[in-house]
Amino acid sequence: MNDRIQNAFSNGKAFIPFVTCADPDISLTEELVLAMVDSGADLVELGLPFSDPIAEGPVIQQADERALASGFKIHDLFTLIERLRNHTQIPLVCMTYLNPVYRYQKDRFLMSAKQAGLDGMIIPDLPYEEQGEIKGSCKTHEIKLISMISPTSRERIITVSKNSEGFLYCVSSLGVTGMRASLTDNAKEMVELAKAHSNTPCAVGFGIHTPEQAHLIASYADGIIVGSAIMNIIAEKGSESVQPVSRYVQQMKQAIMV
Amino acid sequence: MEPGRFGPYGGRYIPETLMSAILELEAAYDRLKGDATFQEELNTLYTNYASRPSLLTFAENVTEDLGGAKVYLKREDLNHTGSHKINNVLGQCLLAKHMGKKRVIAETGAGQHGVATATVAALMGLECEIFMGKVDCQRQALNVYRMRLLGATVHPVESGTQTLKDAVSETMREWTKRIDDTHYVLGSVMGPHPFPTMVRDFQKIIGREVRTQILAAEGKLPDYIIACVGGGSNAIGIFHEFIGEPSVHLVGCEAAGKGINTKKHAATLTRGSEGVFHGMKSIFCQNEDGQIDEVYSISAGLDYPGIGPEHAQLFATKRATYVPITDAEAVDAFTYLSRKEGIICAIESAHALAYTMKLAPTLDKEKIIVVNLSGRGDKDVAAIARYQGETLYE
């Protein structure tokens, strides 16, 4: 069975970087993922570019636009995963909106993804109530369907947590993805409630970009997810971004270890 | 069938952060839709503010000229703010007030829904912010100013194609940022449940009035009801009353832009495929990888790559038929109605009239067609002049 995701959380707090596939091109994404693994990443989220990412702030929206302009197609994701699997057993999860999976046909998508070596799926426009859309197929293809909770989930936190698999993605705050200057501590209560009911680790994402924020949140969460801060480096440095991204990942991993 | 589903279509495919707001809205709507006080307040607003019922005008000159079926026009253009949009906005803003919300946000394409929302927000003392594609802000500059005049803040949306679909995405993003005191007044029968059902309920007054009016005028039901469809709210509004009347043909007219064999169209049901986007399972213009297409229409209000889920189901079950109408056909109809009846209709509504011009001559004289004239065309005058090669200085 598939326990790579569990391994990510077995050595202390997990650092989970996100990278949009094919921004600016797919070979750089491969280099970036391998460099992040070497720098201490415990699990990597691969963002599948989408034309209309409604849960994303401007940084990832623009990354998606660049990726699609570079000619990204869904099969490029599977090729990327296959190539990564020649080098690493790091857990890999795909962050995608439902429509590309639906249109590609969910079983065709999940079978190809599994064969390539994908471990999980995060689908931000698929709330708990609609998971039936794809849950059976995920089970068939042994891919974990990762659920999300947010500060507005209230009584839903318990239901969603009880049914989580892989890990539970806890959205830190209101709003879309993107770096926040300050993060309130609302996430703590939510994460503690979730942990009391979930059999899976709880990782927190949205808005986190500084080592200080990561350190604080790691005091109560099992993992830290960072996307926009990394995509911001890639937007600025393009093909020169591997080193700065590596340094950033090292710094963040260190911040959550101490 | 589970609530919010129309056959396989509908549902609520939205980020977790919005789920509590959507569930709260659903509960509030379920409670208030059967509440006599709420309905009475709404009916009073319809009558004394929106100027309902809207007229059903017999288009005598058009009927004579086309030489076939009798053509009636349902005059939603005569409502306050100039379109059917006010029906839905009055309902939703009243609901928002009852829910204790202080602020409303909305997307707009042509500006009709934005203007209606800004208007009712002013009336009800709600804070109002409108999201409108930057391209549409340029196409409909007058409506942008109109919204500001009404006290709303207008945010030009610069992401993606800078048109209606991006305005919807941006309003959804805004809603995830501030939920507690904010209601999203979605402008069409689309998006996550309960919007497709709720907006239809607020619009179905159009069809209910048509039934009474046509029975008074002709003593029988119409043979055809024709309406334009973007998201599809004016069409559902006039169709709904007649879905259970098999003798009444329902026809939706979608925007074929420069032609359905070009890339410049918004003919969702003619050219699209099943997908999940903007909170709903429905039909969308998209590529084989599920990336949403850039669509096009001369009409900013029909320039949307999807359609409401109830229309997708009416299409799948063949209860309604949907036909594509090009820019050129719509502009011809726009001019035709202006000259024949002295009515300048919205370019959106002109799509419905364009199909009527094809259909009426093929039908016997005792047949009856009702066209939903969903809005007035003042907003389109400058764009039509441009289309015909003239520049106006407003």
Side-chain angles (χ1 to χ4, degrees):
Chain A
M1 269 303 279
N2 173 3
D3 56 4
R4 274 193 293 241
I5 293 180
Q6 227 175 319
N7 292 342
F9 295 90
S10 58
N11 296 311
K13 310 289 180 174
F15 183 69
I16 305 175
F18 164 97
V19 62
T20 301
C21 294
D23 173 30
D25 62 65
I26 199 86
S27 60
L28 188 77
T29 308
E30 187 185 344
E31 268 187 74
L32 280 163
V33 172
L34 294 174
M36 293 192 296
V37 172
D38 286 343
S39 306
D42 297 291
L43 183 156
V44 176
E45 250 190 64
L46 299 169
L48 190 131
F50 184 47
S51 51
D52 301 85
I54 59 161
E56 313 298 342
V59 171
I60 295 176
Q61 284 176 40
Q62 285 155 20
D64 282 7
E65 279 176 27
R66 286 190 298 269
L68 291 172
S70 84
F72 172 86
K73 303 292 279 178
I74 287 177
H75 59 76
D76 294 329
L77 171 75
F78 308 136
T79 313
L80 170 70
I81 297 170
E82 268 171 33
R83 293 170 66 113
L84 289 170
R85 283 287 173 243
N86 292 329
H87 305 282
T88 177
Q89 288 305 308
I90 189 104
L92 294 170
V93 305
C94 173
M95 211 287 325
T96 175
Y97 290 82
L98 183 57
N99 199 51
V101 182
Y102 188 85
R103 175 70 173 138
Y104 196 85
Q105 294 179 346
K106 59 187 177 186
D107 286 299
R108 179 176 166 228
F109 186 103
L110 293 167
M111 185 159 64
S112 305
K114 180 66 185 181
Q115 277 169 1
L118 188 76
D119 301 296
M121 298 277 286
I122 302 171
I123 308 179
D125 58 352
L126 191 71
Y128 175 73
E129 283 78 353
E130 301 289 0
Q131 282 185 344
E133 191 69 56
I134 197 172
K135 196 146 196 169
S137 296
C138 284
K139 203 162 230 104
T140 307
H141 300 288
E142 297 180 345
I143 286 186
K144 301 275 199 257
L145 181 57
I146 289 148
S147 297
M148 301 177 97
I149 55 168
S150 91
T152 56
S153 300
R154 296 171 206 159
E155 62 275 12
R156 296 159 47 73
I157 291 176
I158 295 172
T159 318
V160 177
S161 303
K162 275 185 181 160
N163 291 285
S164 69
E165 53 182 46
F167 67 92
L168 188 64
Y169 192 130
C170 307
V171 176
S172 70
S173 45
L174 293 180
V176 292
T177 58
M179 300 171 277
R180 317 252 201 278
S182 65
L183 277 171
T184 52
D185 230 12
N186 294 346
K188 187 174 181 185
E189 206 182 318
M190 165 181 67
V191 171
E192 279 167 356
L193 181 60
K195 284 179 77 161
H197 295 276
S198 168
N199 298 316
T200 59
C202 298
V204 176
F206 278 47
I208 306 169
H209 66 115
T210 68
E212 293 73 27
Q213 291 168 333
H215 178 75
L216 177 71
I217 294 171
S219 67
Y220 54 83
D222 302 310
I224 300 292
I225 306 165
V226 173
S228 294
I230 291 167
M231 296 317 298
N232 203 41
I233 300 174
I234 296 169
E236 275 176 20
K237 308 276 182 184
S239 58
E240 306 295 310
S241 56
V242 177
Q243 283 210 341
V245 167
S246 299
R247 275 198 299 273
Y248 177 75
V249 171
Q250 280 166 17
Q251 206 187 357
M252 293 296 277
K253 176 67 185 175
Q254 221 146 43
I256 63 174
M257 283 167 67
V258 290
Chain B
M1 175 143 339
E2 59 181 301
R5 288 280 173 179
F6 306 91
Y9 304 112
R12 44 185 154 214
Y13 301 85
I14 48 167
E16 174 62 27
T17 303
L18 290 179
M19 275 307 289
S20 61
I22 282 290
L23 294 170
E24 181 195 358
L25 178 63
E26 183 187 22
Y29 181 60
D30 280 347
R31 190 175 70 243
L32 288 168
K33 71 182 174 193
D35 182 276
T37 317
F38 178 82
Q39 290 302 336
E40 200 181 302
E41 277 178 88
L42 184 58
N43 284 329
T44 305
L45 287 164
Y46 280 163
T47 310
N48 296 336
Y49 192 71
S51 181
R52 301 209 70 90
S54 69
L55 298 178
L56 184 69
T57 302
F58 176 48
E60 197 170 354
N61 299 333
V62 166
T63 299
E64 193 180 323
D65 186 61
L66 296 176
K70 287 184 175 177
V71 177
Y72 281 84
L73 307 173
K74 180 59 174 165
R75 302 292 306 281
E76 292 298 298
D77 60 316
L78 297 178
N79 297 339
H80 181 41
T81 73
S83 81
H84 71 290
K85 294 291 187 189
I86 193 83
N87 305 331
N88 168 43
V89 171
L90 282 169
Q92 284 199 48
C93 286
L94 191 61
L95 184 63
K97 286 283 273 189
H98 278 265
M99 290 170 74
K101 303 288 178 184
K102 303 273 183 274
R103 173 178 178 255
V104 288
I105 55 174
E107 86 293 345
T108 195
Q112 295 295 86
H113 177 59
V115 167
T117 306
T119 298
V120 178
L123 175 73
M124 297 189 182
L126 294 160
E127 194 187 325
C128 178
E129 292 182 45
I130 303 294
F131 294 80
M132 185 171 184
K134 198 177 163 196
V135 169
D136 290 338
C137 287
Q138 286 155 1
R139 284 200 277 197
Q140 301 285 351
L142 204 60
N143 270 342
V144 173
Y145 186 71
R146 196 169 279 148
M147 289 183 266
R148 292 202 177 119
L149 193 61
L150 291 159
T153 305
V154 180
H155 300 281
V157 175
E158 297 190 15
S159 57
T161 56
Q162 308 186 342
T163 58
L164 181 53
K165 95 176 151 96
D166 308 289
V168 173
S169 298
E170 206 53 41
T171 317
M172 286 186 173
R173 290 183 187 119
E174 175 63 25
W175 205 18
T176 65
K177 290 178 195 161
R178 192 170 152 189
I179 293 176
D180 276 358
D181 69 343
T182 301
H183 174 66
Y184 176 7
V185 183
L186 221 162
S188 193
V189 284
M190 47 158 287
H193 176 64
F195 285 107
T197 302
M198 181 175 73
V199 176
R200 177 252 277 154
D201 289 350
F202 290 139
Q203 292 292 1
K204 66 189 184 189
I205 189 166
I206 305 173
R208 275 210 307 269
E209 287 175 6
V210 167
R211 180 190 284 271
T212 311
Q213 290 166 323
I214 200 73
L215 287 175
E218 294 282 348
K220 60 176 183 174
L221 295 181
D223 300 285
Y224 286 85
I225 291 183
I226 303 177
C228 64
V229 284
S233 70
N234 88 81
I236 281 290
I238 196 167
F239 287 177
H240 194 262
E241 176 75 14
F242 302 98
I243 288 174
E245 302 280 0
S247 69
V248 182
H249 296 84
L250 308 173
V251 185
C253 301
E254 38 182 32
K258 294 185 191 297
I260 54 169
N261 295 318
T262 71
K263 289 194 159 193
K264 295 248 171 204
H265 66 77
T268 307
L269 291 175
T270 310
R271 276 281 178 263
S273 53
E274 253 183 43
V276 179
F277 179 51
H278 277 163
M280 58 181 169
K281 184 179 287 182
S282 190
I283 311 285
F284 300 93
C285 294
Q286 57 181 326
N287 73 10
E288 70 288 349
D289 259 10
Q291 306 292 347
I292 304 300
D293 281 342
E294 189 169 334
V295 291
Y296 163 83
S297 165
I298 189 174
S299 145
L302 304 183
D303 195 355
Y304 182 70
I307 189 163
E310 192 167 5
H311 283 293
Q313 176 68 353
L314 291 173
F315 173 73
T317 57
K318 299 190 164 57
R319 175 62 192 94
T321 49
Y322 295 83
V323 295
I325 296 294
T326 63
D327 282 359
E329 291 170 322
V331 169
D332 277 351
F334 179 89
T335 314
Y336 179 80
L337 192 68
S338 302
R339 305 230 166 129
K340 283 283 174 226
E341 299 287 347
I343 297 170
I344 299 174
C345 72
I347 189 65
E348 287 79 14
S349 321
H351 285 71
L353 193 75
Y355 182 68
T356 308
M357 289 163 67
K358 296 186 200 181
L359 177 68
T362 70
L363 299 175
D364 293 340
K365 285 184 194 288
E366 74 275 13
K367 298 286 185 190
I368 299 166
I369 297 174
V370 175
V371 183
N372 201 11
L373 224 60
S374 56
R376 68 172 181 231
D378 310 46
K379 68 181 177 58
D380 298 309
V381 170
I384 302 295
R386 266 198 305 280
Y387 182 86
Q388 292 174 332
E390 277 182 62
T391 308
L392 297 186
Y393 297 95
E394 289 177 277

